[in-house]
Amino acid sequence: MTAQILDGKAALASIKDELRGRVATLKERGITPGLGTVLVGDDPGSRWYVGAKHKDCAEIGITSIRRDLPADSTLEEVLAVVRELNEDPECTGFLVQQPTGLDETAILSAVDPGKDVDGLHPVNLGRLVLGEPGPLPCTPMGCIELLRRHDVPIRGAKVAVVGRGITVGRPLGLILTRRSENATPVLCHTGTRDLAAEVRSADIVVAAAGVPGIITADMVKPGAAVLDVGVSRVEGEDGRSRIAGDVADDVAEVAGWISPNPGGVGPMTRAMLLANVVEAAERAL
């Protein structure tokens, strides 16, 4: 079996087309969505991610508001920028790019929950637990949307979520239990007693443990959908470092669907961020 590719780049392009129309409608009503970003330091990966987000915004008509701070910025200096963006009516949603090297919880908690486009503010995670509307975490929703747009059955499916992080694993498990998804998730991690057995019984596998190659072909049910969310840096035989996912290459020979890494879930995270910015502007109406 050769797995069908869950193409995140193509899905991102389609979502951008859909959001352009919603942005145009907002502008007709006097509101231009604006994304704010706060970047602390000069980490190449973080700078690339922030740049990609603003490039996406420019393509669909969202205004960019960028605040780049030096690496030696204090917590209070970052919080001052957060307060500024909270009060800025041109900024309909914003995020502080992690890592900052500072108290991430304090920074996240200072963001106006209505402008939290990452969907990770404690208030918004609480809304998710309670089943109340609010911005949802981008990567988990990117996984769901990627499956939907490739007609992978979610309703009634058993989903093995491998990884217990707050940005992916924990919220994804909650999202999957909503009536709109009606899946049955099992939340696994590196301490799960028989990880292979849990994964092998799943119709959908979401690998988000940050452990290179933790999901191998012998662990996957034939025909299952496998999403690779993991991002790790490993050293190759040539001594150069490269990015590695959580899913081994041979899984593509067993799975029915597989997301490439890069090019799968990553673009969908960007897509859901754009959707959260537009939805924040729509709520402002």
Side-chain angles (χ1 to χ4, degrees), residues 159-163 168-170 172-173 176 185-189 204-208:
V159 184
V161 180
V162 185
V168 184
R170 294 187 192 183
L172 178 56
L176 286 165
V186 54
L187 183 59
C188 307
H189 44 77
I204 299 170
V205 180
V206 181

Side-chain angles (χ1 to χ4, degrees), residues 43-45 212 231-245:
D43 176 76
V231 177
S232 302
R233 189 168 288 279
V234 298
E235 186 174 302
E237 295 180 0
D238 58 359
R240 300 176 64 181
S241 68
R242 61 180 179 84
I243 298 297

